[in-house]
Amino acid sequence: SDFLAKLGMQKKLAETLESDMKYKHLTKFQEDSIEKIQDAVKGTERDTVLISARTGGGKTEAFMIPILEKCLSDDSMGTKAIIFYPTKPLANDQASRFIKVLYHLNKRLQRKLTLGILHGDIPKNEDNVSQEKNEGLPFECPECGTGLLRPTDPKKLVCDNEKCKQALDFVWAYTRPQIYSSPPDILITNPDTLVWDLMVRPHHHSIFGRPVYACKDCGMTYAPAGRKASCNAQDGCNGKNLEQITPCPPSFLVYDEVHLCRGSFGINCSFVSSRIEYMIKKYAEAFHKDYQHTLTKIGSSATIANGNEFVTRFFNSSQGKYWLVPENNEKSEDYYEEESDKTLRRHHVYTLPYAYPSESTVGLAIQYLQERAKNGKPPVMFEKEKAAIGNYLQTLAFVNAVKSSNALITQVRRTVAGDLPDLQVDGHTTDFDKSQRSKVERDFNKGSLHVVFATSTLEVGVDFRKVDCIVINGFPYSFNDYLQRIGRGGRQGDSIVLTVCQNWKPIDHYYYSNGIHALKKQHANIEPIPITRDNTEAIKKHIQGAVFDYIMRNKDTDGFDMDNISSIASIAEGDKRQNLNREVFESVNIPDAFQKQCLPQLDQFVSEITQEAHSASMSGRPKGIFYRFLNDWNPKWNISSLRSTEPDVAIEVFWQ
């Protein structure tokens, strides 16, 4: 409370953290991060903050507290913060943390702060809502801590614990339309979802600060050029209960676990971030002239080695325009020395088996550990009876391929079948659908599932209540990924980390000899995240996408009709073409040299889509812009994909 008071932050926020959440203090890392973020919020020259701390180092609270402060001090309707997570399990896990804080904070408030979750597991409309969909959202009940929250109607989540049945009315997770018709204060989402909203869904731009008409009966939104009288029969309820809303523009763009934004995905996320930032800026200028708007960008990660280089490239920020926390590796080591919890330990064991395959070694090791933990005696071949803890060890095992996971599940089940028939073993990979993965997460948290084999799906950020043992079968190709995997354990209690190296892989031989030394100096061994904004294929993709951003953003002033493709023919003419070029290059935010280089590509792209617009007009049967984008333009140019920079190429092989 003293620290937040010094920064002029809300007393109710401090009371919630101290009294309800039982936070005794903030760490030095969190204090430094909050101070720098608050400095950026004030509209100083620095508008970007990159924070980095070890796994479990309190990064979420470091950016959550300034966001909650903004929501408390600004009672405008609209989304104040958009938080991006690279995976859905991570987004769901972090949503539970936000729900818990908001649950206690809202008890002290007259106007409740709201949270929205927007990703592929949220139904597109009420017709898609089903029990199966709802089971894909493993939100933990903040009241009982054991039940899971189920969306029962558009604005209510209810705990499935019969003894609890707590109902929450501040979380939007039922359908996507409720996000856009009533933008939540905090939105948890991913770049893959919002890139579609940017390009072809202007009625979803309420989360960026655009006025829209919202149906109060079904939640559908519309962005017409004039007044909207009734809800569409095809998409909505055909009712007339429409109201125009003017949400505020967001004040935060947050990329959590930003180190996963690497390679093609990282390059694309960087450009999408620039486009979203530009969209927010233009709406703030057009519709919120009296609103004191600043936009703060935050990146958060446990494994960033090249902080200065990364922040200048990913956020396109120049020297003197950003903060780094910590400032350098030496400062990071100081944080560890001050804050490391001496009562929690990870005990590492490295093995490089030759007598058995690595899968068999993993099976035998798990059998040994679980037999000893549950019954106090390992298999008779090892040693005499020992004291038991009486429970199985909650074991999270990581593999590098889905095939390995499936093989190990079978191997371990067969190995323990005789001695430990009640040991429950399952997997968490892309071979499992979202309902199955959600059930695995819930069962592992409850302790009814004891061993889970996962690929990178559980590598980042998903915080289970208890992880006693981490098994690594084969060293991942990145030391950063290794740190993330072992970071799942040793949070609430001691853990053992068993790294089973594979004798046919040179990288495993290296870490078998040097792994412990690397762990002792983690920051010295963290690998830099390669990000570049001079990839011409990526620039081309985002210039094309920014053309559609322009059309969606200016549809009111320039008369673009979503249902009639011929209406965009005019973008190739006169002043409109000059405005298009300027706004496209400003939003993608590339240097002048690249603008000249890419102008012919932009000319060709605009020429192609406007020629189709003219042809559609002549045919007398024009299709809508979204239809043509979905069926023609996007498949041809791969505009919406953030996981690659170039279009997919089909390869056909003829065997002779």
Side-chain angles (χ1 to χ4, degrees):
S1 56
D2 292 341
F3 173 75
L4 297 188
K6 183 182 72 173
L7 296 180
M9 300 174 78
Q10 298 277 338
K11 185 178 180 181
K12 290 180 180 179
L13 180 54
E15 291 172 345
T16 299
L17 296 173
E18 283 187 342
S19 301
D20 303 323
M21 306 296 294
K22 307 303 180 186
Y23 284 28
K24 293 185 175 65
H25 58 83
L26 296 171
T27 66
K28 185 68 170 65
F29 162 76
Q30 290 170 328
E31 289 183 350
D32 287 356
S33 299
I34 293 168
E35 283 183 336
K36 297 299 187 290
I37 292 171
Q38 285 300 98
D39 179 79
V41 168
K42 292 174 184 176
T44 60
E45 293 234 338
R46 307 192 193 216
D47 62 359
T48 306
V49 185
L50 180 66
I51 63 175
S52 177
R54 58 179 171 80
T55 53
K59 296 181 293 295
T60 301
E61 289 76 16
F63 64 75
M64 179 195 291
I65 290 173
I67 288 173
L68 292 175
E69 169 65 23
K70 173 64 179 176
C71 296
L72 288 170
S73 59
D74 183 355
D75 60 1
S76 304
M77 187 268 286
T79 297
K80 316 300 188 304
I82 300 176
I83 307 175
F84 295 102
Y85 289 98
T87 66
K88 286 182 284 190
L90 177 57
N92 292 337
D93 182 76
Q94 295 301 300
S96 291
R97 297 179 69 174
F98 273 87
I99 289 170
K100 187 173 183 178
V101 175
L102 289 174
Y103 172 69
H104 294 293
L105 180 58
N106 281 335
K107 291 179 180 180
R108 301 174 182 271
L109 306 177
Q110 289 184 332
R111 182 189 77 86
K112 291 184 178 180
L113 305 184
T114 54
L115 174 73
I117 295 92
L118 179 65
H119 54 54
D121 288 354
I122 305 298
K124 293 181 179 179
N125 53 53
E126 197 147 356
D127 293 339
N128 297 117
V129 175
S130 66
Q131 186 62 31
E132 179 183 346
K133 292 275 186 183
N134 290 344
E135 284 184 355
L137 301 172
F139 304 141
E140 184 180 286
C141 175
E143 176 63 26
C144 67
T146 56
L148 294 169
L149 300 171
R150 298 272 186 255
T152 57
D153 62 52
K155 292 188 178 180
K156 188 178 291 183
L157 271 69
V158 178
C159 177
D160 63 2
N161 184 343
E162 291 296 329
K163 295 180 179 179
C164 179
K165 289 294 183 182
Q166 178 69 47
L168 306 183
D169 60 358
F170 57 86
V171 183
W172 303 173
Y174 189 69
T175 61
R176 299 183 202 183
Q178 69 177 140
I179 298 287
Y180 306 111
S181 61
S182 183
D185 291 292
I186 301 168
L187 176 62
I188 287 177
T189 184
N190 55 53
D192 306 84
T193 298
L194 288 206
V195 73
W196 281 89
D197 288 344
L198 271 178
M199 295 188 292
V200 289
R201 294 171 180 148
H203 52 294
H204 290 178
H205 288 193
S206 54
I207 59 175
F208 303 133
R210 181 194 183 108
V212 298
Y213 282 90
C215 178
K216 294 302 178 182
D217 294 328
C218 69
M220 292 301 296
T221 51
Y222 303 91
R227 174 165 172 74
K228 179 73 173 173
S230 61
C231 191
N232 289 357
Q234 181 178 356
D235 302 320
C237 64
N238 204 28
K240 299 191 181 298
N241 189 15
L242 267 67
E243 177 186 1
Q244 188 177 35
I245 61 172
T246 306
C248 66
S251 297
F252 291 92
L253 290 180
V254 182
Y255 288 82
D256 200 6
E257 303 296 352
V258 71
H259 69 278
L260 291 181
C261 296
R262 59 193 177 197
S264 295
F265 181 59
I267 295 167
N268 287 318
C269 284
S270 175
F271 284 118
V272 168
S273 181
S274 295
R275 289 164 56 191
I276 292 174
E277 182 180 354
Y278 189 76
M279 187 75 79
I280 292 170
K281 172 187 170 185
K282 298 300 284 187
Y283 285 149
E285 292 173 351
F287 304 112
H288 305 278
K289 290 184 174 64
D290 298 329
Y291 186 80
Q292 297 297 316
H293 180 253
T294 61
L295 183 65
T296 302
K297 296 166 286 184
I298 302 172
S300 167
S301 174
T303 49
I304 290 287
N306 54 334
N308 285 289
E309 180 183 348
F310 184 87
V311 75
T312 54
R313 293 187 175 182
F314 184 83
F315 291 107
N316 204 26
S317 188
S318 56
Q319 193 69 35
K321 298 289 187 180
Y322 60 85
W323 290 107
L324 294 182
V325 184
E327 299 171 9
N328 49 53
N329 285 345
E330 289 73 23
K331 182 68 173 178
S332 175
E333 294 299 326
D334 291 343
Y335 286 148
Y336 286 159
E337 288 173 11
E338 291 175 13
E339 297 162 12
S340 62
D341 188 342
K342 306 300 184 188
T343 65
L344 296 180
R345 295 177 62 87
R346 294 193 191 107
H347 304 268
H348 287 270
V349 177
Y350 283 76
T351 180
L352 183 67
Y354 279 88
Y356 294 93
S358 64
E359 287 79 7
S360 298
T361 302
V362 170
L364 289 169
I366 288 176
Q367 179 194 22
Y368 172 83
L369 289 166
Q370 299 293 10
E371 179 76 41
R372 183 166 181 169
K374 183 70 181 290
N375 302 322
K377 53 181 181 180
V380 294
M381 68 193 76
F382 289 109
E383 55 184 288
K384 296 180 180 179
E385 188 171 318
K386 299 285 186 182
I389 60 172
N391 300 309
Y392 286 128
L393 299 176
Q394 292 301 105
T395 302
L396 189 56
F398 287 100
V399 297
N400 296 320
V402 173
K403 181 180 178 181
S404 298
S405 173
N406 297 336
L408 276 162
I409 292 171
T410 303
Q411 174 76 42
V412 173
R413 284 174 176 169
R414 184 168 59 241
T415 302
V416 304
D419 296 326
L420 305 170
D422 58 339
L423 181 73
Q424 299 300 308
V425 182
D426 214 328
H428 192 289
T429 69
T430 52
D431 261 10
F432 296 79
D433 64 32
K434 56 194 171 189
S435 295
Q436 291 171 312
R437 292 197 300 269
S438 175
K439 185 176 185 304
V440 165
E441 292 171 35
R442 295 196 301 270
D443 291 347
F444 189 78
N445 247 341
K446 290 188 295 186
S448 58
L449 175 61
H450 311 112
V451 181
V452 173
F453 287 95
T455 51
S456 57
T457 54
L458 291 179
E459 184 177 287
V460 179
V462 179
D463 296 330
F464 292 112
R465 292 173 192 157
K466 184 184 179 187
V467 179
D468 302 303
C469 181
I470 298 287
V471 177
I472 310 291
N473 184 44
F475 211 92
Y477 292 108
S478 165
F479 184 68
N480 297 6
D481 294 343
Y482 183 71
L483 292 179
Q484 292 289 345
R485 293 180 181 190
I486 68 173
R488 299 309 102 207
R491 295 190 171 205
Q492 304 299 323
D494 284 10
S495 66
I496 186 169
V497 180
L498 172 64
T499 301
V500 180
C501 300
Q502 296 171 331
N503 62 46
W504 65 91
K505 288 164 58 178
I507 190 172
D508 283 42
H509 279 268
Y510 172 81
Y511 279 106
Y512 179 68
S513 301
N514 298 287
I516 290 295
H517 304 293
L519 286 174
K520 288 178 179 177
K521 292 289 184 182
Q522 291 185 17
H523 275 265
N525 290 278
I526 289 174
E527 299 140 5
I529 307 298
I531 287 287
T532 176
R533 288 177 69 95
D534 57 7
N535 182 303
T536 53
E537 285 297 324
I539 292 172
K540 177 182 175 182
K541 176 204 293 275
H542 289 280
I543 283 175
Q544 293 168 336
V547 170
F548 292 101
D549 298 353
Y550 171 85
I551 293 170
M552 300 303 112
R553 185 168 58 248
N554 295 287
K555 63 182 296 295
D556 293 348
T557 55
D558 291 353
F560 303 130
D561 184 353
M562 288 295 296
D563 297 323
N564 188 343
I565 186 181
S566 60
S567 67
I568 68 171
S570 63
I571 64 173
E573 302 168 359
D575 291 341
K576 283 187 181 178
R577 181 56 203 275
Q578 295 301 316
N579 289 336
L580 170 68
N581 286 5
R582 176 178 54 80
E583 291 200 18
V584 163
F585 286 128
E586 284 180 356
S587 66
V588 178
N589 201 354
I590 55 176
D592 292 342
F594 277 103
Q595 293 182 21
K596 294 176 183 178
Q597 181 180 340
C598 295
L599 188 57
Q601 297 173 332
L602 177 60
D603 289 338
Q604 180 184 357
F605 182 70
V606 172
S607 175
E608 287 194 37
I609 65 173
T610 52
Q611 282 178 14
E612 291 189 37
H614 282 297
S615 300
S617 178
M618 298 296 291
S619 71
R621 293 183 300 181
K623 293 286 188 180
I625 296 173
F626 179 75
Y627 176 89
R628 197 54 70 89
F629 181 90
L630 186 65
N631 293 282
D632 297 332
W633 298 329
N634 195 44
K636 180 178 180 180
W637 289 301
N638 199 34
I639 303 172
S640 68
S641 172
L642 302 185
R643 306 289 168 168
S644 64
T645 52
E646 300 179 14
D648 294 336
V649 179
I651 302 295
E652 190 170 1
V653 179
F654 295 91
W655 295 98
Q656 184 173 354

